[in-house]
Amino acid sequence: MKKLITGIILFFGTFVWAQNIIFETLLNDKISIRALEIYNHKVWYSGTDSKFGYVDLKDSKNRKQIKLSDEKLQFRTLAQDKNSFYAINIESPAYFFKIDKEKMISQIVFTDLSKAAFYDTFHFVNEELAFAFSDTDDNRLKLTMYKHGEWSFFKNNIKLNPGEAAFAASNTNIASGKNYVWIATGGKSSRILKLNLNNQQIEVFNTPFVQGESSQGMYSIDFANEKFGIAVGGDYTKQEANINNIATTNDGGQTWQIQASGKNAGYMTCVKIKPGSKGREIIAVGDQHISYSSDFGKTWKKISDEKGLFVCKWIDKKTVVFAGKDRILKMNIN
């Protein structure tokens, strides 16, 4: 079991705290992982080569992995309800797999045969409602909806701008609250689409985020409540670029303020707000770094140079899991 101990300094307002972070490797495998879920004290993942499995947070020897298909499918989505996990492969045809949590037996419950099918995100709002976001061939917003056990395409009149799409970087360009679902787009146009769950209407808001090229824009969003949210991203072809790649909102996504432009570690693929912090404490990861903010995303400190990590999730207030190229890590903050 590999452990790396790194001394870091975290800045909390005017206070300086010296802390240790300890990395523990939970899984090493030939796999690329961009989607994680936590259930029953285990980290569950989907990835390349049709792989799906779990590793125990307390005992990494307690693990299991299966293949969802005999084909070498790539999965960049993972979601869950009370009894099952759901994963969708990228590229066409897109198969929606449902995996029983206890028996780890899978079945295909929906198929998208569209030639442009490429599912970037799958997100459960609650036990009865979920949305999956896919590329489309006609510039219309394409959402597949799971509602009360039924699958369908969500009807809407939203037109995406030319070159506007989404990134399957970490399964986190959809977030939700009690009344709203937020969807972040990127590419030549990077906007926020806000779905009102009460009337099924979608509002579209422009953002000052870096955009204009197919590799640019928002990659990941998270909301602490129905007012405060954060978006991160950048340009995956220029990972050191750090201009206009972090933004926050205080009005539920209607307006966005750029934060730490030119003063952060660069391109980020996933952002997660610390539970219970109401948005004050945030962790973010990119291919080249892990970064941390303790002031609602206004300033950032690089806390690790770990490479090849794409997705993260808080386990509790002192533990975060990361996954990416060939591994899953657990980070403990002492």
Side-chain angles (χ1 to χ4, degrees), residues 167 186-188 212-217 219 233-238 267:
F167 297 108
K188 294 186 177 181
E213 300 293 336
S214 60
S215 55
Q216 296 176 337
Y219 279 69
D235 187 334
Y236 75 84
T237 67
K238 301 173 183 177
Y267 168 71

Side-chain angles (χ1 to χ4, degrees), residues 57-201:
L57 282 163
K58 293 184 178 180
D59 179 9
S60 61
K61 293 180 180 179
N62 179 18
R63 63 179 68 175
K64 185 175 181 179
Q65 185 182 92
I66 62 172
K67 289 199 173 186
L68 296 177
S69 172
D70 291 333
E71 301 179 53
K72 288 190 175 183
L73 302 178
Q74 292 190 50
F75 293 91
R76 298 188 183 183
T77 58
L78 187 63
Q80 66 171 309
D81 60 15
K82 182 179 180 180
N83 298 312
S84 304
F85 290 102
Y86 300 83
I88 315 166
N89 63 284
I90 60 172
E91 301 176 335
S92 180
Y95 301 110
F96 287 56
F97 288 83
K98 179 180 180 180
I99 309 108
D100 183 274
K101 285 183 173 179
E102 303 304 322
K103 298 178 182 179
M104 286 185 71
I105 297 174
S106 68
Q107 60 178 313
I108 296 173
V109 292
F110 186 75
T111 303
D112 183 349
L113 297 174
S114 168
K115 291 183 179 180
F118 192 109
Y119 279 85
D120 305 284
T121 320
F122 194 11
H123 176 84
F124 266 86
V125 178
N126 54 50
E127 285 291 310
E128 299 296 332
L129 180 64
F131 292 97
F133 185 15
S134 171
D135 291 355
T136 179
D137 54 6
D138 59 3
N139 284 339
R140 290 186 301 170
L141 172 65
K142 183 177 181 180
L143 293 176
T144 300
M145 181 174 65
Y146 172 84
K147 189 173 183 179
H148 303 304
E150 299 293 330
W151 298 89
S152 64
F153 294 109
F154 181 75
K155 295 181 180 180
N156 68 88
N157 296 315
I158 302 299
K159 283 280 189 178
L160 299 180
N161 291 327
E164 181 179 15
F167 297 108
S170 61
N171 193 47
T172 55
N173 51 39
I174 296 181
S176 64
K178 182 179 179 182
N179 298 302
Y180 301 100
V181 173
W182 297 270
I183 302 168
T185 65
K188 294 186 177 181
S189 181
S190 190
R191 302 187 293 175
I192 289 290
L193 316 179
K194 184 179 181 180
L195 168 62
N196 188 320
L197 293 172
N198 297 313
N199 60 20
Q200 305 299 299
Q201 297 300 306

Side-chain angles (χ1 to χ4, degrees), residues 269-290:
T269 55
C270 187
V271 64
K272 286 295 178 182
I273 294 169
K274 181 178 178 178
S277 73
K278 299 181 180 179
R280 178 180 293 276
E281 297 182 64
I282 308 168
I283 201 95
V285 65
D287 291 12
Q288 303 296 314
H289 66 96
I290 299 170

